[in-house]
Amino acid sequence: ILASSKEILDFPVVGDFFKRSIENVKTVREGETLVFPLTAPRAINRLYFKFGQPIHVSKDMMNDKDRCEEVYHEAKRRLEDGLMYLQKNRERDPYRDLIPRVLYERNTGEKAPTFID
């Protein structure tokens, strides 16, 4: 964070602009400020998603504490395995950063591959 909401409101000129723009904004809590902090931009990297197999459940399982526990641990295990897979392969993805990906796609006319073996 480069500047908090309070710091932004304290800046000369900029703070006055934000104060005027939020004067008539209704808030839920007294004294709440609807000015987001200023953050440093980060590189635009590729987003990775992995959809696993569904876990089948039924209404009759609701009252079976042991079965609910099994389903919970199975879902947690699958999620953690999927995250580890994506994180490991993200490091090997030569097109995870924006510039190499755009150059590849512009030069070939094709989508840059995600994971190359």
Side-chain angles (χ1 to χ4, degrees), residues 59-99:
K59 286 183 182 180
D60 60 317
M61 292 170 52
M62 254 177 31
N63 297 321
D64 185 348
K65 185 176 179 180
D66 292 334
R67 184 66 183 122
C68 288
E69 191 79 17
E70 288 175 24
V71 169
Y72 169 79
H73 287 293
E74 178 66 15
K76 182 178 178 183
R77 183 190 63 75
R78 289 186 190 188
L79 177 66
E80 289 171 346
D81 289 349
L83 288 172
M84 285 191 317
Y85 169 82
L86 291 173
Q87 289 170 343
K88 181 183 87 177
N89 285 291
R90 174 182 60 189
E91 297 306 316
R92 298 183 321 122
D93 182 3
Y95 304 109
R96 72 179 171 272
D97 295 322
L98 180 66
I99 294 174

Side-chain angles (χ1 to χ4, degrees), residues 17-82:
F17 167 78
F18 278 112
K19 286 175 190 171
R20 282 192 308 276
S21 66
I22 64 172
E23 276 178 354
N24 297 319
V25 175
K26 294 188 189 282
T27 59
V28 176
R29 291 178 282 281
E30 187 68 33
E32 184 175 52
T33 304
L34 296 176
V35 175
F36 293 101
L38 179 63
T39 59
R42 296 176 62 185
I44 301 172
N45 291 331
R46 183 180 262 177
L47 300 175
Y48 300 88
F49 298 90
K50 183 175 187 329
F51 296 92
Q53 294 297 316
I55 297 175
H56 299 285
V57 296
S58 62
K59 286 183 182 180
D60 60 317
M61 292 170 52
M62 254 177 31
N63 297 321
D64 185 348
K65 185 176 179 180
D66 292 334
R67 184 66 183 122
C68 288
E69 191 79 17
E70 288 175 24
V71 169
Y72 169 79
H73 287 293
E74 178 66 15
K76 182 178 178 183
R77 183 190 63 75
R78 289 186 190 188
L79 177 66
E80 289 171 346
D81 289 349

